[in-house]
Amino acid sequence: MADASGAPRRRDAAATRQALLEAARRRFTRLGYDGTTLREVAADAGVNLALIKRYFDSKEGLFKAAIASTPRALGGPAGVPGDRARLADALSRQLSADAWPEFGEHPVLMLLRVSGDEQVDALRRAALQDFTRQILDGSGTGPEKDPERLLRAELLVALGVGVAVIRSAVGLQPLRDATPDALRGPLRDVIDALLGPESEPVEG
Amino acid sequence: MADASGAPRRRDAAATRQALLEAARRRFTRLGYDGTTLREVAADAGVNLALIKRYFDSKEGLFKAAIASTPRALGGPAGVPGDRARLADALSRQLSADAWPEFGEHPVLMLLRVSGDEQVDALRRAALQDFTRQILDGSGTGPEKDPERLLRAELLVALGVGVAVIRSAVGLQPLRDATPDALRGPLRDVIDALLGPESEPVEG
């Protein structure tokens, strides 16, 4: 393993770590924790197996990093704070039938696998809390203090999780093949119902 | 097994079948298909193991019957056609934290276990379609022909599934411990947003 002993150039280290994370998310989402082997993850990323150990220590470490990075990897509503129409648009794209061809399933499913590991459970909770915050940020109603509004944002996260689970496990039609265009109107209605009317844009 | 050879009196047969189904739903929901043994189901129901074979043929037959009977067993909105407030009330009770102490989990989770068996998949789809119909029946907007309204009712089913999955797998607060009172308002808002205003009651 000559590769592994030579330190990679610094500008390649971040890219290698990123490639391993992406490959890990794909495998863990499609095949679960037990069905994923580090050898295949390394092969998918086109790097030496030893680099997983270097960057993530172990399979568990790789799984934890994959979970922790999932909310940002979904490219969710985080990028469009305060724009209600864009929030509805982002969610309808994320939850449409063909949104994740490279995963085979919606990557949020990775967060739902029962682990029994308390540290992993805490990471999964943190990832869903991150989604909830992204939704509140994107809702155009400002930051959240009221527990009812937090519950309402969590119900929107639950809707997304439910769509992913039903599509994966049951394939109910017309939900299974719903396009972003079909989802946008209903999701916009749910967002408005749960989060209330959009507030006036703040100048500046 | 002297018990098994004697035919039960006819009026006991339905009760025995029902007791076996209830015990099976509890075990399959908590422990999954593989974690459930017929011996324990029979013991829970207080009947002889051989009666499972008589009434359900096999473990697979028992699982299929348990799935097929789940929507009605949940005592969902089916009983209250056309009353929007009662639909919101029924859903908020079903989705609250302490709704299913005897299952340990929301029994809808039984429908989500990956089986790979096509006949089981069809039953699971039929059960979720049954929920969708119950919601449309209970929404006070009459029977459904429009595919968008079907999609909208399925999104409400997805919300319920998502709440059950998140509570079971991740325990996100405040959703995890939400009471019926906390859920009623937000769920009523979502129902109205997805299914439109309640129609006028029909005389008769």
Side-chain angles (χ1 to χ4, degrees):
Chain A
M1 303 232 198
D3 278 277
S5 66
R9 286 170 299 163
R10 187 161 299 248
R11 70 165 179 267
D12 289 343
T16 298
R17 199 176 181 284
Q18 190 57 32
L20 283 168
L21 266 184
E22 283 168 20
R25 282 196 299 263
R26 279 195 300 272
R27 292 247 165 212
F28 286 133
T29 297
R30 281 207 323 270
L31 306 166
Y33 185 83
D34 291 335
T36 295
T37 72
L38 296 186
R39 187 169 301 277
E40 289 163 325
V41 170
D44 289 352
V47 304
N48 192 292
L49 180 61
L51 291 180
I52 293 182
K53 177 120 183 110
R54 176 180 300 170
Y55 292 133
F56 301 101
D57 188 51
S58 61
K59 185 177 180 180
E60 198 189 342
L62 181 63
F63 187 58
K64 287 177 182 170
I67 286 180
S69 69
T70 293
R72 297 296 154 188
L74 292 189
V80 288
D83 186 327
R84 184 67 61 92
R86 282 203 190 172
L87 175 62
D89 206 54
L91 288 179
S92 55
R93 274 184 284 108
Q94 275 198 21
L95 296 177
S96 67
D98 301 321
W100 307 102
E102 75 279 30
F103 287 88
E105 310 272 10
H106 193 294
V108 79
L109 296 179
M110 200 174 65
L111 301 180
L112 305 176
R113 305 196 179 277
V114 175
S115 70
D117 175 327
E118 234 174 78
Q119 235 189 313
V120 171
D121 286 349
L123 280 167
R124 302 191 300 171
R125 257 196 307 281
L128 286 183
Q129 280 162 347
D130 203 353
F131 280 123
T132 309
R133 266 196 305 275
Q134 287 183 30
I135 281 172
L136 286 168
D137 286 350
S139 73
T141 51
E144 200 37 59
K145 294 148 211 147
D146 177 356
E148 177 171 336
R149 285 182 55 74
L150 190 55
L151 176 63
R152 285 170 169 264
E154 287 177 0
L155 286 172
L156 196 49
V157 172
L159 174 58
V161 166
V163 169
V165 167
I166 286 181
R167 181 171 293 134
S168 162
V170 193
L172 195 65
Q173 289 289 24
L175 184 58
R176 196 190 74 188
D177 293 336
T179 62
D181 281 349
L183 289 168
R184 193 175 296 108
L187 288 178
R188 176 66 196 259
D189 289 346
V190 174
I191 293 168
D192 287 347
L194 281 174
L195 301 177
E198 193 166 13
S199 51
E200 293 295 310
V202 177
E203 293 300 316
Chain B
M1 304 230 196
D3 277 276
S5 66
R9 285 171 300 163
R10 187 162 298 247
R11 70 166 180 266
D12 289 342
T16 298
R17 199 176 180 285
Q18 189 56 31
L20 283 168
L21 266 184
E22 283 170 20
R25 282 196 298 263
R26 281 196 298 272
R27 292 250 165 209
F28 286 134
T29 298
R30 283 207 323 269
L31 306 167
Y33 185 83
D34 290 337
T36 295
T37 72
L38 296 186
R39 189 169 299 278
E40 289 163 325
V41 171
D44 289 352
V47 305
N48 191 293
L49 179 61
L51 291 179
I52 293 183
K53 177 119 182 108
R54 176 178 302 171
Y55 292 134
F56 302 101
D57 189 49
S58 61
K59 184 176 180 182
E60 198 189 343
L62 181 63
F63 187 58
K64 286 176 182 171
I67 286 180
S69 69
T70 292
R72 298 297 154 185
L74 292 188
V80 287
D83 186 326
R84 185 67 62 91
R86 280 201 190 175
L87 175 63
D89 206 53
L91 288 179
S92 55
R93 274 183 285 109
Q94 274 199 20
L95 296 177
S96 67
D98 301 322
W100 307 103
E102 75 280 29
F103 286 88
E105 309 273 10
H106 194 293
V108 80
L109 296 179
M110 200 173 64
L111 302 180
L112 305 176
R113 304 194 180 280
V114 175
S115 69
D117 175 327
E118 234 174 77
Q119 233 188 314
V120 170
D121 287 349
L123 279 168
R124 303 191 300 170
R125 257 195 308 282
L128 286 183
Q129 280 162 348
D130 203 355
F131 280 124
T132 309
R133 267 195 305 275
Q134 288 183 31
I135 281 172
L136 287 168
D137 286 349
S139 72
T141 50
E144 199 39 59
K145 294 151 211 145
D146 176 356
E148 177 172 335
R149 287 182 55 75
L150 191 55
L151 177 64
R152 286 171 169 262
E154 287 177 359
L155 287 172
L156 196 49
V157 172
L159 174 58
V161 166
V163 169
V165 167
I166 286 180
R167 181 172 292 133
S168 163
V170 193
L172 195 65
Q173 291 287 21
L175 184 59
R176 195 190 76 187
D177 293 336
T179 63
D181 282 348
L183 289 168
R184 193 175 296 108
L187 287 178
R188 176 65 196 258
D189 289 346
V190 173
I191 293 167
D192 287 347
L194 281 174
L195 301 178
E198 192 166 13
S199 51
E200 294 295 310
V202 177
E203 293 300 315

